[in-house]
Amino acid sequence: MSTLIINGTIINADKSILADVLIEDGKISKIGTNLQNDFKDNKIIDAKDRYIFPGGIDPHVHMHLPSPAGYSADDFETGSRAALYGGTTTIIDFVTPKKGQSLKEALIQRKEEAKDCQTHYSLHMSPIEWRDSMDAEIEECIQLGLKSFKVYMAYKDSIGLNDDVLFKVMQSIGKTGGVLLVHCEMGDEIDELRNQFIEEGKTSSKYHPLSRPSELEAEAVKKAIDLADRANCTLYIVHVSSKDSLKYIREAQVKGQKVFAETCPQYLLLDDSKYKGNFEETAAYVMSPPLRKEADNNALWEAIQKGEIQTIGTDHCPFNLEQKRFGEMDFRKIPNGAGGVEHRTSLLHTYGVLEGKISLNQLVELTSTNVAKIFGMYPQKGTIAEGSDADLVIWNPESEEVISSKTHHMNCDLNIYEGLTSKGSAELVMLAGQVVLENGKLTAETLRR
Ligand code: URP
Ligand code: ZN
């Protein structure tokens, strides 16, 4: 069955064109004008006054993430459905092995957890320790097609790496040509601050951001860049939140080091005033890194405009209020993370494109094209071109909503964007040529899957 989209404006990272798109066997087979005259027997979709985006690719989500307060609120099924509502057709999650577990065994287990995923998905592998076989295990991942890895400099009591292990992992990935994602926060120093606050009886959530200052993110960014340079390893710094970090990223990029940077909508649009209030008002914002100052928001927008930040992910990792209560008496125990997979494109459209900070083409570049390029999916994904996958979003730029946990599709009773107005939404979403969302709603067939 073939489908023809007519009258829409195709938005790619490099240009926008008014053209028809013919889809056959899950791929884009032709792009041109007046295709309707030649192809009469197709299902026709009229995209007049609409944009056509390549499906969004979210490089950073955590579905079904274990924590002492239970699993994060979205599993692969619910979280990926929410992603489709937001125009994201591919998510990249993580494999986090348990101590002693082989990378391959952990990968098999994670794939089982992801089996009901409703979008395309891919995984970054997270080595949490070093052992003699690690070089070979990393090489095996590469052979299996898993070319991106993620390590944590924070969370030293569980999955965080010490510098010597971090360097060994970088050397190993450097040899294979993979990409290393790093969560940059100085773990030991942060743990010290956290413990000090608790000893002083400072237990509330407002101490979460104070225990993870911007300087400790920047210091970790600098260290990761230096180590990656010595190890000849391509670096991708996740969820950059602070102005201070940007300085080191810029310097490395200028001297030609392969360093990519990602930020998230929460670090562009929200600030640390959200930590003023009682537990119920502030717990949703407990995430790492924490929200920063308005000056940081502005510096991140500027870095996006200058091309110093290449991607925008969500770090989607929602927890319900009851789960957050696990740390009501001790902020160290509040599960870290917030949901956002559903709102990435509409927030960036509203507060980026409509406010003149980025163009529509940059929106596509940041949320799809660059992600596909960095993680080896391009040009199959990340662009609207003949031969590419028909993962497409028909975007209505005029629709408006007020974001609320009462109406969102994420499986969580908190929403960090509660009350914000967003303009623009996914009206139709196509996954490998199949319509999975129509008139802003998942199709009956998608819901049955
Ligand atoms: O607070 C966050 N970001 N939670 C998810 C795990 C991580 O650190 O990325
Ligand atoms: Zn994360």
Side-chain angles (χ1 to χ4, degrees):
M1 158 78 164
S2 55
T3 306
L4 183 64
I5 306 176
I6 57 168
N7 297 326
T9 304
I10 297 171
I11 313 290
N12 271 326
D14 59 345
K15 61 176 185 292
S16 309
I17 51 164
L18 191 65
D20 301 338
V21 183
L22 180 68
I23 293 138
E24 292 174 302
D25 301 325
K27 304 259 180 211
I28 297 167
S29 57
K30 198 167 175 60
I31 296 174
T33 45
N34 300 320
L35 294 189
Q36 209 171 345
N37 300 337
D38 304 331
F39 300 95
K40 291 222 167 15
D41 299 329
N42 298 294
K43 173 185 158 82
I44 304 268
I45 297 172
D46 190 351
K48 187 166 180 324
D49 299 327
R50 305 289 186 256
Y51 303 130
I52 312 174
F53 294 152
I57 310 173
D58 193 328
H60 189 156
V61 302
H62 303 269
M63 306 301 176
H64 193 63
L65 179 94
S67 88
Y71 283 98
S72 58
D74 263 323
D75 59 20
F76 276 89
E77 186 175 1
T78 61
S80 60
R81 280 191 177 144
L84 290 175
Y85 275 102
T88 288
T89 52
T90 302
I91 55 173
I92 318 186
D93 204 293
F94 300 88
V95 185
T96 312
K98 298 188 181 61
K99 286 229 175 350
Q101 189 181 32
S102 75
L103 302 188
K104 187 166 175 197
E105 198 188 311
L107 173 62
I108 292 167
Q109 195 177 320
R110 193 64 173 154
K111 280 188 172 168
E112 182 58 28
E113 290 170 355
K115 71 179 185 329
D116 294 324
C117 190
Q118 305 291 306
T119 56
H120 302 295
Y121 79 91
S122 163
L123 297 163
H124 308 294
M125 174 60 77
S126 276
I128 61 157
E129 60 197 339
W130 189 261
R131 53 181 166 260
D132 291 347
S133 59
M134 198 51 92
D135 260 332
E137 290 185 48
I138 286 173
E139 179 61 41
E140 190 179 23
C141 287
I142 302 259
Q143 299 307 329
L144 291 168
L146 228 86
K147 295 192 170 65
S148 52
F149 299 79
K150 156 126 183 245
V151 293
Y152 297 80
M153 294 170 78
Y155 311 137
K156 283 289 186 66
D157 58 347
S158 52
I159 54 177
L161 302 187
N162 287 324
D163 294 353
D164 58 333
V165 177
L166 173 60
F167 188 60
K168 284 183 187 159
V169 170
M170 283 179 171
Q171 282 182 307
S172 185
I173 293 166
K175 271 187 278 182
T176 61
V179 182
L180 182 65
L181 290 72
V182 185
H183 175 136
C184 291
E185 285 188 300
M186 297 295 286
D188 291 331
E189 290 77 354
I190 285 170
D191 285 342
E192 220 170 279
L193 282 172
R194 279 153 63 87
N195 296 338
Q196 198 179 313
F197 280 131
I198 294 296
E199 273 165 31
E200 292 166 5
K202 296 171 176 167
T203 58
S204 74
S205 41
K206 84 168 180 207
Y207 293 101
H208 170 77
L210 299 178
S211 68
R212 312 184 87 94
S214 174
E215 297 77 27
L216 291 183
E217 177 185 316
E219 196 179 330
V221 165
K222 182 179 182 321
K223 181 180 276 191
I225 288 173
D226 290 346
L227 291 175
D229 193 23
R230 279 170 45 208
N232 197 22
C233 176
T234 301
L235 190 62
Y236 176 105
I237 301 171
V238 296
H239 49 48
V240 176
S241 70
S242 116
K243 182 178 180 202
D244 299 334
S245 301
L246 291 168
K247 172 176 170 286
Y248 298 115
I249 291 167
R250 189 177 311 122
E251 277 171 14
Q253 289 171 345
V254 165
K255 77 170 204 239
Q257 190 178 339
K258 273 202 182 156
V259 176
F260 300 110
E262 167 201 276
T263 191
C264 312
Q266 57 269 36
Y267 301 119
L268 293 164
L269 303 178
L270 308 176
D271 63 46
D272 63 356
S273 59
K274 295 287 185 194
Y275 298 110
K276 290 197 187 104
N278 61 28
F279 184 80
E280 285 74 16
E281 290 163 326
T282 57
Y285 304 96
V286 172
M287 62 184 81
S288 296
L291 300 173
R292 307 288 189 197
K293 306 271 178 220
E294 208 183 316
D296 296 284
N297 303 154
N298 296 338
L300 291 168
W301 279 117
E302 221 176 279
I304 286 172
Q305 288 157 354
K306 290 184 181 150
E308 293 161 1
I309 288 177
Q310 287 72 38
T311 68
I312 301 182
T314 59
D315 198 6
H316 177 82
C317 189
F319 289 96
N320 286 312
L321 182 59
E322 271 320 293
Q323 294 179 289
K324 294 273 183 184
R325 282 198 198 285
F326 195 72
E328 195 165 359
M329 300 302 165
D330 180 344
F331 72 88
R332 296 173 302 179
K333 296 186 179 154
I334 301 173
N336 278 207
V341 75
E342 181 173 352
H343 304 304
R344 181 177 63 147
T345 311
S346 63
L347 287 171
L348 294 171
H349 180 253
T350 312
Y351 298 98
V353 176
L354 299 181
E355 291 197 359
K357 293 190 168 89
I358 54 171
S359 65
L360 278 168
N361 308 89
Q362 282 170 304
L363 171 72
V364 164
E365 186 172 45
L366 291 156
T367 58
S368 182
T369 314
N370 280 350
V371 185
K373 284 182 177 171
I374 294 168
F375 297 113
M377 300 173 186
Y378 188 86
Q380 194 185 337
K381 300 196 185 298
T383 185
I384 300 178
E386 290 178 4
S388 295
D389 291 352
D391 298 338
L392 298 170
V393 176
I394 297 185
W395 188 259
N396 176 355
E398 295 298 333
S399 71
E400 218 174 281
E401 70 158 331
V402 177
I403 296 177
S404 171
S405 63
K406 304 270 185 302
T407 49
H408 71 200
H409 300 91
M410 301 179 291
N411 187 33
C412 179
D413 58 11
L414 298 171
N415 192 313
I416 55 172
Y417 304 108
E418 188 76 34
L420 277 189
T421 298
S422 76
K423 200 156 177 205
S425 64
E427 195 164 80
L428 184 142
V429 175
M430 209 179 248
L431 207 62
Q434 298 296 315
V435 174
V436 290
L437 180 141
E438 210 168 8
N439 300 320
K441 297 214 167 0
L442 291 182
T443 61
E445 199 179 291
T446 315
L447 289 167
R448 269 199 304 274
R449 279 199 290 170

